[in-house]
């Protein structure tokens, strides 16, 4: 029983930060993301009665007991659905640095969900796959669909309405997202710990929750209208609000390095010069710049000229998660 799947990473344009239930990994707010063409995880899984324990190989190396444990607990959800306790060997490869704010957990858990469901012969809808992926990592629910995606916070206690679905397919709108890599190091505080700290200590937490609905509505419309300026403004605004929440936690959480800040200023300078370019940043130091195809080269040159940017990765709207191989 084996299968291999590929899922692309995604970047939130309207950010998710905060959980309404930690056990089921239910988000406190909805979010909107762009699936990325150039960053993906490929995961191959084999279940067999010959295996005594789950074994996880990440980028050709045996994963840590923590990573293996997290993956095993996640696979238990699928094993329960399939009525089996077979153990698995999982081989997962990212084509980008892991855990540096490039959402490897998003593509990782989405690829794992799809591969494991197929290997166990579970026939699940895209919605059910997204609900499952969410339990591995909140942003993973958004890597099941492709293109422009909305994740619902939902209201039910069991999480059955907390899933992601497409707003528009990749072909709807050719925009670009350039990632400037400022560091290859793993982030210092993970998103779950960061979100918990914000929820329990930030005086702005409730205000953040209350404002999210308006941002989601405006972003949905900007995407449908192909209004780039609006999409960019809303993305930068949501990003800075999320980081303000992280910074206002106690102790404050600072994901940026000096190069990140230089790049934020450079993006705004470019904009003052007439080029529509907007930044967004996740729980890590990488800078991500949204622009139109005709401005991609100018934005790339600007990023490459900033000392400390090691590499620039260009993305278009990318496809949803898919099966690459499966035995029948
Ligand atoms: O679901 P996680 O644990 O990957 O957390 C995502 C947090 C942010 O990337 C900062 C925001 C987002 O919506 O992706």
């Amino acid at each position: 029983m084996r299968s291999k799947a590929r899922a692309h990473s995604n970047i939130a344009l309207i950010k998710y930060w905060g959980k309404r239930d930690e056990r089921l990994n239910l988000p406190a707010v909805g979010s909107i993301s762009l699936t990325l063409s150039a960053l993906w995880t490929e995961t191959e899984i084999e279940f067999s009665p010959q295996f005594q324990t789950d074994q996880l190989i990440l980028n050709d190396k045996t994963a840590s007991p923590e990573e293996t444990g997290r993956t095993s607990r996640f696979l238990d959800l699928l094993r329960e659905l399939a009525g089996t306790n077979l153990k698995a060997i999982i081989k997962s490869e990212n084509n980008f640095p892991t855990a540096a704010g490039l959402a490897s957990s998003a593509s990782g858990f989405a690829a794992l969900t799809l591969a494991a469901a197929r290997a166990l012969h579970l026939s699940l809808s895209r919605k059910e796959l997204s609900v499952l992926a969410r339990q591995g990592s909140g942003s993973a629910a958004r890597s099941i669909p492709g293109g422009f995606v909305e994740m619902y916070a939902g209201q039910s206690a069991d999480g059955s309405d907390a899933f992601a679905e497409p707003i528009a397919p990749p072909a709807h709108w050719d925009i670009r997202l350039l990632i400037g890599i400022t560091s290859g190091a793993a982030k210092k505080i993970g998103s779950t710990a960061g979100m918990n700290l914000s929820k329990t200590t930030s005086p702005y937490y409730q205000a953040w929750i209350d404002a999210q609905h308006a941002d989601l509505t405006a972003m949905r419309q900007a995407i449908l209208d192909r209004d780039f300026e609006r999409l960019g403004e809303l993305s930068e605004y949501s990003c800075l609000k999320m980081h303000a929440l992280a910074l206002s936690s106690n102790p404050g959480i600072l994901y940026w390095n000096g190069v990140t800040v230089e790049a934020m200023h450079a993006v705004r300078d470019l904009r003052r010069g007439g080029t529509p370019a907007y930044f967004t940043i996740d729980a890590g130091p990488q800078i991500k710049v949204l622009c139109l195809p005709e401005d991609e080269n100018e934005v790339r040159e600007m990023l490459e000229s900033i000392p400390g940017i090691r590499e620039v990765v260009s993305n278009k709207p990318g496809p949803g998660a898919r099966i690459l191989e499966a035995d029948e």
Side-chain angles (χ1 to χ4, degrees):
M1 294 163 80
R2 59 171 290 283
S3 165
K4 184 173 182 180
R6 179 191 285 189
H8 289 243
S9 185
N10 73 78
I11 293 292
L13 306 177
I14 300 297
K15 302 292 183 197
Y16 145 56
W17 197 253
K19 298 183 197 280
R20 67 181 168 92
D21 178 303
E22 207 187 325
R23 192 180 60 84
L24 284 173
N25 209 21
L26 296 174
V29 290
S31 53
I32 291 179
S33 60
L34 179 69
T35 308
L36 302 177
S37 62
L39 306 182
W40 67 76
T41 302
E42 281 186 7
T43 299
E44 191 178 348
I45 189 163
E46 181 175 2
F47 290 91
S48 165
Q50 288 168 351
F51 304 150
Q52 305 297 314
T53 55
D54 290 324
Q55 204 193 328
L56 173 64
I57 318 243
L58 262 183
N59 295 322
D60 294 323
K61 287 196 205 95
T62 300
S64 67
E66 292 75 32
E67 285 165 325
T68 307
R70 186 176 174 193
T71 302
S72 255
R73 285 190 297 280
F74 177 72
L75 285 179
D76 287 343
L77 301 171
L78 287 114
R79 282 190 275 249
E80 199 181 318
L81 286 175
T84 180
N85 52 22
L86 289 178
K87 303 293 185 219
I89 291 186
I90 309 113
K91 290 187 189 140
S92 192
E93 288 191 15
N94 295 324
N95 70 336
F96 57 91
T98 302
L102 284 185
S104 60
S105 66
S107 51
F109 277 103
L112 180 63
T113 304
L114 210 65
R118 172 57 84 90
L120 291 170
H121 303 291
L122 288 167
S123 120
L124 301 172
S125 65
R126 299 296 276 188
K127 174 179 167 181
E128 288 166 320
L129 290 166
S130 180
V131 164
L132 274 168
R134 186 204 71 232
Q135 292 169 77
S137 143
S139 56
R142 298 189 311 237
S143 273
I144 297 292
F148 301 82
V149 175
E150 177 157 10
M151 168 87 197
Y152 307 110
Q155 289 179 334
S156 71
D158 68 358
S160 55
D161 55 358
F163 65 100
E165 63 181 10
I167 296 174
H172 167 72
W173 193 11
D174 186 13
I175 62 170
R176 300 296 154 92
L177 184 126
L178 273 64
I179 303 177
I181 312 264
T182 67
S183 162
K187 60 190 164 201
K188 295 189 184 77
I189 172 162
S191 54
T192 298
M195 288 183 200
N196 267 333
L197 192 64
S198 296
K199 183 174 180 176
T200 51
T201 65
S202 170
Y204 307 144
Y205 187 73
Q206 193 55 43
W208 157 260
I209 305 277
D210 294 345
Q212 190 78 346
H213 178 75
D215 292 355
L216 290 167
T217 306
M219 180 58 87
R220 221 178 283 128
Q221 201 56 47
I223 291 168
L224 294 174
D225 295 346
R226 299 189 185 88
D227 183 341
F228 186 72
E229 215 173 287
R230 193 84 186 103
L231 174 136
E233 280 167 2
L234 286 163
S235 299
E236 226 179 84
Y237 176 56
S238 177
C239 157
L240 289 174
K241 266 203 293 189
M242 183 211 107
H243 284 276
L245 194 63
L247 288 165
S248 64
S249 307
N250 192 4
I253 310 162
L254 177 55
Y255 285 114
W256 309 332
N257 59 32
V259 183
T260 321
V261 177
E262 286 301 328
M264 289 155 83
H265 287 295
V267 170
R268 289 191 159 181
D269 284 346
L270 205 63
R271 204 150 78 225
R272 271 189 284 272
T275 305
Y278 300 84
F279 62 77
T280 185
I281 305 156
D282 289 305
Q286 324 303 2
I287 183 97
K288 289 119 187 188
V289 186
L290 290 154
C291 67
L292 291 166
E294 57 268 33
D295 299 320
E296 181 179 340
N297 286 342
E298 189 186 1
V299 172
R300 172 177 278 277
E301 276 164 27
M302 175 280 285
L303 283 172
E304 284 171 351
S305 74
I306 299 171
I309 300 249
R310 303 161 171 214
E311 196 187 333
V312 178
V313 183
S314 297
N315 290 274
K316 299 178 184 188
R322 63 190 183 280
I323 297 289
L324 299 176
E325 292 163 27
D327 59 2
E328 285 315 320

